[in-house]
């Protein structure tokens, strides 16, 4: 019996070792493939530089997207020159930030294709970077998971097809946090991406690779996705403009994550694809290019609503609601300052600003948000880590989900006094732990979906009562020190609210962190001066000079109005 037990234990140990070794080999192969792609692109760029040594690289990289498209359309710049200029810069940026997963060698084939075309699309010759999980034919969509390393996409996603139809050239895929469920940017396969302005800081997530690449100057236009702030948080952390549209406005994409479409999986809080760029006009041009007949034909589930240029270009005064805190997770002083300064600037420009208070944010976060994503106690999410290595930044959430249902209830009861006394629990707060064990029946799930619809109706009613065109509000920032986002999941209330509501929302940088902000941060007490407030304070300390942004929001299907307010905010902040 003893020999049998020892033999069984040895067999289990060997089996585990073999499984781990197989994972390591897969990760090594993925990294080797990436490195070979980088070397290939570097060689191609070098050949181009030798052929045309007089290229004005800095002049090309400094052109805004709208001006660059004009130069390409008129022929004063060639798509070839622009592509290789951005490839060279992207190589430089990824060496500093580790933002790229793969270069796309087919970009040269796309280049040759558009050079032969008679008709030039709205994005003719524009190099575009793509977030990892968006399908590109023949390439991996990993979501940072080892199990996804052996299955290349069989076809381009609808969005990529439309980009190519409009003359864009997808040239690189960018890094993401493992499983996409984090607003840091790290995974066991490709490692950690850092902020181009401060390598101790995170670029945000889950579109963190996009944020780092664009902010570093290595891409002029990128496509990200957002199911809790994953476009807006990297835009805030990296000083970019980013738009999360109404979820169904653009065709989303299949993802290995949960083995379903991340933007239409069975949840009442859908994700959305959207553009990220250096200015608002770039976002508007991208939306105009994507909302075309090609998109509507390829996917008839996308409402055939072309971009309304008249709304975006209007100069009529706006009636804008505003708030600088949602009273759930008070943000650092610089973020509230940004809202108040922007409010005053909008008022001085002739717009009407009206105080607005979002209803029941605690209810949204503790009930609607957590119960949506962990309706099964987190089992579906845990399944994606089967046979995988869990990234350290995700271990608090993963360990919490692994607790049995009864254990979660008992732990919630035990931790409640600690929460009240301000003593830090080991991972999430007791409310978070309790919320993970819910929705025990189909009826309970239906009731939960109904509660979200009721809340949306309540929110829209309050909006209509004030006759608002749009809302100005804060966004989480400035950039966190790496490692902190995984410890402060519920700090994303400022962005998550508009995923629950499915409203279009965008981020615009308006300022930078000052020495005065840093001094005021020392006095920050947050909501309760509790461990969570202290942790947020630690996360954002040392951010002098980093970007500070605000968030603009409109009602569903009114992306053009959201962009209109964003443009107004951008113009006023630049004038200041």
């Amino acid at each position: 019996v003893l020999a049998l037990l020892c033999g069984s234990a040895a067999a289990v140990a060997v089996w585990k070792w073999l499984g781990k070794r197989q994972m390591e080999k897969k990760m090594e192969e993925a990294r080797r493939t990436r490195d070979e792609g980088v070397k290939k692109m570097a060689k191609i760029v070098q050949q181009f530089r030798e052929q045309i040594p007089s290229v004005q690289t800095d002049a090309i990289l400094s052109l805004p997207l709208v001006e660059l498209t004009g130069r390409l359309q008129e022929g004063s710049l060639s798509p070839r020159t622009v592509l290789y200029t951005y490839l060279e810069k992207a190589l430089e940026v990824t060496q500093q930030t580790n933002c790229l997963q793969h270069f796309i060698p087919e970009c040269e084939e796309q280049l040759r294709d558009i050079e032969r075309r008679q008709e030039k699309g709205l994005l003719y010759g524009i190099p575009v970077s793509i977030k990892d999980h968006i399908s590109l034919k023949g390439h991996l969509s990993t979501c940072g998971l080892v199990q996804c390393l052996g299955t290349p996409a069989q076809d381009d996603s609808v969005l990529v097809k439309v980009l190519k139809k409009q003359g864009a050239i997808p040239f690189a895929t960018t890094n993401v946090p493992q499983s996409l469920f984090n607003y840091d940017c790290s995974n066991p396969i490709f490692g950690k991406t850092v902020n181009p302005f401060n390598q101790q800081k995170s670029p945000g997530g889950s579109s963190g690779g996009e944020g780092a690449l664009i902010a570093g100057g290595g891409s002029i236009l990128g496509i990200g996705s957002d199911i809790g702030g994953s476009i807006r948080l990297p835009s805030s952390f990296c000083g970019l403009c980013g738009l999360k549209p109404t979820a169904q406005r653009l065709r989303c994409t299949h993802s290995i994550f949960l083995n379903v479409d991340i933007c239409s999986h069975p949840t009442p809080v859908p994700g959305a694809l959207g553009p990220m760029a250096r200015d608002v006009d770039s976002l508007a041009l991208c939306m105009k290019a994507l909302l075309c007949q090609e998109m509507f034909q390829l996917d008839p589930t996308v409402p055939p609503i072309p971009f309304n240029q008249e709304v975006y270009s209007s100069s009529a005064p706006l009636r804008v609601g505003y708030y600088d805190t949602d009273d759930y997770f008070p943000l650092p002083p610089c973020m509230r300052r940004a809202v108040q300064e922007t409010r005053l600037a909008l008022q001085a420009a002739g717009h009407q600003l009206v105080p607005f208070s979002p209803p029941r944010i605690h209810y949204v976060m503790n009930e609607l948000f957590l119960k949506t994503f962990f309706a099964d106690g987190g089992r579906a999410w845990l399944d994606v880590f089967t046979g995988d290595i869990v990234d350290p930044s995700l271990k608090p959430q993963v360990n919490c989900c692994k607790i049995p249902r009864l254990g979660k209830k008992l732990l919630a009861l035990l931790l409640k006094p600690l929460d009240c006394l301000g003593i830090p629990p080991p991972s999430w707060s007791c409310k978070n732990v309790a919320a993970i064990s819910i929705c025990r029946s189909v009826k309970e799930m239906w009731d939960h979906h109904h509660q979200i619809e009721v809340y949306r109706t309540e929110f829209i009613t309050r909006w209509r009562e004030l006759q608002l065109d749009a809302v100005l509000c804060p966004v989480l920032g400035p950039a966190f020190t790496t490692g902190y986002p995984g410890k402060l999941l519920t700090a994303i209330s400022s962005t998550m609210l508009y995923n629950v509501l499915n409203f279009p929302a965008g981020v615009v940088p308006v300022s930078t962190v000052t020495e005065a902000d840093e001094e005021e941060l020392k006095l920050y007490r947050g909501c309760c001066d509790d461990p969570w407030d202290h942790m947020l304070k630690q996360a954002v300390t040392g951010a002098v000079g980093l970007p500070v942004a605000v968030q603009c929001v409109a009602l569903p299907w009114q992306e053009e109005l959201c962009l209109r307010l964003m443009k107004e905010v951008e113009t006023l902040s630049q004038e200041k």
Side-chain angles (χ1 to χ4, degrees):
V1 172
L2 181 61
L4 182 61
L5 289 174
C6 291
S8 299
V12 169
V14 170
W15 179 77
K16 286 184 176 180
W17 180 85
L18 289 173
K20 184 178 180 181
R21 182 63 189 139
Q22 188 177 15
M23 278 193 292
E24 290 172 350
K25 284 184 177 180
K26 286 184 177 181
M27 291 192 291
E28 288 169 4
E29 178 62 27
R31 288 190 285 266
R32 184 163 52 251
T33 300
R34 177 192 60 180
D35 294 343
E36 288 172 355
V38 168
K39 289 177 183 177
K40 182 178 179 181
M41 289 299 111
K43 184 177 180 180
I44 292 170
V45 168
Q46 180 62 31
Q47 291 172 347
F48 176 75
R49 295 292 289 180
E50 291 172 356
Q51 293 169 3
I52 311 178
S54 60
V55 172
Q56 300 292 318
T57 300
D58 291 341
I60 292 172
L61 294 173
S62 67
L63 290 174
L65 179 62
V66 173
E67 188 175 345
L68 180 59
T69 56
R71 298 280 297 274
L72 286 162
Q73 295 277 353
E74 70 185 18
S76 60
L77 276 176
S78 72
R80 184 172 298 274
T81 299
V82 173
L83 174 62
Y84 290 127
T85 297
Y86 270 98
L87 282 174
E88 183 177 34
K89 185 63 177 179
L91 282 165
E92 177 188 323
V93 175
T94 197
Q95 288 172 359
Q96 298 168 352
T97 64
N98 188 40
C99 58
L100 294 185
Q101 282 195 4
H102 294 288
F103 278 103
I104 303 169
E106 293 85 356
C107 66
E108 291 193 293
E109 182 181 331
Q110 172 69 0
L111 173 64
R112 290 189 291 270
D113 178 59
I114 66 167
E115 287 176 333
R116 291 192 297 265
R117 290 183 194 174
Q118 295 298 316
E119 185 178 341
K120 299 177 180 179
L122 291 177
L123 296 176
Y124 173 73
I126 297 298
V128 177
S129 49
I130 305 288
K131 188 176 179 178
D132 159 85
H133 74 87
I134 298 171
S135 297
L136 285 151
K137 185 177 181 179
H139 291 269
L140 296 171
S141 297
T142 70
C143 298
L145 296 162
V146 176
Q147 63 173 283
C148 302
L149 287 177
T151 314
Q154 298 300 305
D155 198 5
D156 286 336
S157 64
V158 169
L159 185 135
V160 169
K161 289 179 179 178
V162 177
L163 285 171
K164 289 181 176 180
K165 180 71 174 179
Q166 290 285 18
I169 306 175
F171 74 97
T173 61
T174 50
N175 204 26
V176 294
Q178 190 178 30
S179 82
L180 309 184
F181 200 73
N182 195 354
Y183 62 100
D184 216 336
C185 193
S186 176
N187 65 72
I189 306 168
F190 301 106
K192 178 172 69 176
T193 300
V194 296
N195 194 301
F197 301 125
N198 182 336
Q199 294 190 3
Q200 303 303 312
K201 297 291 184 178
S202 170
S206 59
S207 308
E210 283 298 322
L213 180 62
I214 300 169
S219 177
I220 195 168
L221 178 65
I223 304 296
S225 62
D226 192 311
I227 200 167
S230 294
I231 287 173
R232 290 161 291 161
L233 294 173
S235 296
S236 172
F237 285 16
C238 294
L240 302 174
C241 297
L243 175 70
K244 178 203 81 69
T246 310
Q248 297 82 8
R249 189 81 194 262
L250 295 176
R251 170 59 174 160
C252 203
T253 183
H254 178 76
S255 169
I256 301 296
F257 178 48
L258 299 186
N259 294 315
V260 290
D261 186 312
I262 69 161
C263 299
S264 61
H265 60 72
T267 169
V269 180
L273 292 183
M276 300 168 66
R278 297 196 295 255
D279 57 65
V280 179
D281 280 340
S282 299
L283 305 182
L285 177 60
C286 183
M287 291 297 291
K288 184 176 181 179
L290 291 173
L291 295 172
C292 63
Q293 199 59 38
E294 182 80 4
M295 172 74 77
F296 307 144
Q297 287 177 350
L298 286 171
D299 185 4
T301 67
V302 173
I305 309 173
F307 188 81
N308 191 329
Q309 185 66 38
E310 183 179 349
V311 171
Y312 177 62
S313 302
S314 172
S315 58
L318 297 171
R319 183 174 170 87
V320 181
Y322 73 92
Y323 61 93
D324 64 7
T325 179
D326 60 15
D327 291 324
Y328 180 82
F329 211 114
L331 299 182
C334 62
M335 308 312 287
R336 301 183 71 170
R337 169 179 65 81
V339 173
Q340 291 299 338
E341 289 179 353
T342 303
R343 172 182 70 86
L344 293 174
L346 287 168
Q347 282 180 326
H351 301 285
Q352 189 173 4
L353 276 291
V354 181
F356 179 74
S357 179
R360 302 190 291 155
I361 300 299
H362 285 74
Y363 169 72
V364 173
M365 290 300 295
N366 296 336
E367 295 292 326
L368 302 185
F369 161 50
L370 287 170
K371 288 186 178 180
T372 292
F373 287 95
F374 297 104
D376 60 351
R379 291 177 190 169
W381 184 56
L382 287 177
D383 284 346
V384 305
F385 298 102
T386 302
D388 220 312
I389 297 172
V390 177
D391 192 81
S393 64
L394 280 177
K395 283 186 177 178
Q397 295 97 307
V398 170
N399 291 338
C400 202
C401 287
K402 284 182 177 178
I403 301 170
R405 180 178 294 174
L406 180 60
K408 289 170 188 171
K409 290 183 178 180
L410 291 173
L411 186 59
L413 290 173
L414 290 172
L415 291 178
K416 191 170 184 179
L418 301 184
D419 245 7
C420 297
L421 293 172
I423 301 172
S427 180
W428 293 351
S429 72
C430 64
K431 291 178 182 177
N432 302 147
V433 175
I436 292 176
S437 180
I438 45 89
C439 288
R440 293 177 295 273
S441 67
V442 173
K443 183 182 183 303
E444 196 169 341
M445 175 64 82
W446 287 346
D447 288 343
H448 176 66
H449 288 202
H450 176 67
Q451 289 166 13
I452 291 177
E453 291 302 323
V454 169
Y455 180 78
R456 284 174 180 154
T457 301
E458 177 186 352
F459 196 100
I460 291 171
T461 299
R462 181 172 294 191
W463 183 299
R464 293 294 196 196
E465 286 172 350
L466 294 173
Q467 299 180 327
L468 302 179
D469 294 309
V471 162
L472 170 72
C473 57
V475 62
L476 183 62
F480 280 23
T481 300
T482 56
Y484 277 92
K487 303 172 185 177
L488 288 165
L489 177 63
T490 51
I492 63 172
S493 59
S494 60
T495 51
M496 173 52 70
L497 171 64
Y498 296 105
N499 292 92
V500 172
L501 290 166
N502 195 17
F503 284 17
V507 163
V508 189
V510 295
S511 182
T512 57
V513 180
T514 64
E515 293 285 357
D517 290 327
E518 197 78 359
E519 285 299 312
E520 192 174 352
L521 180 63
K522 294 177 181 178
L523 306 175
Y524 172 84
R525 294 292 178 267
C527 181
C528 311
D529 198 21
D530 62 14
W532 310 109
D533 295 321
H534 296 170
M535 193 176 294
L536 178 68
K537 187 174 178 179
Q538 294 167 7
V540 300
T541 297
V544 172
L546 292 183
V548 172
V550 296
Q551 184 173 208
C552 302
V553 185
L555 290 175
W557 310 108
Q558 296 187 15
E559 282 73 19
E560 297 87 346
L561 192 54
C562 180
L563 289 165
R564 160 81 204 289
L565 177 59
M566 291 171 67
K567 178 63 178 176
E568 189 75 8
V569 168
E570 178 185 61
T571 301
L572 293 171
S573 66
Q574 288 173 349
E575 289 175 357
K576 179 186 173 184

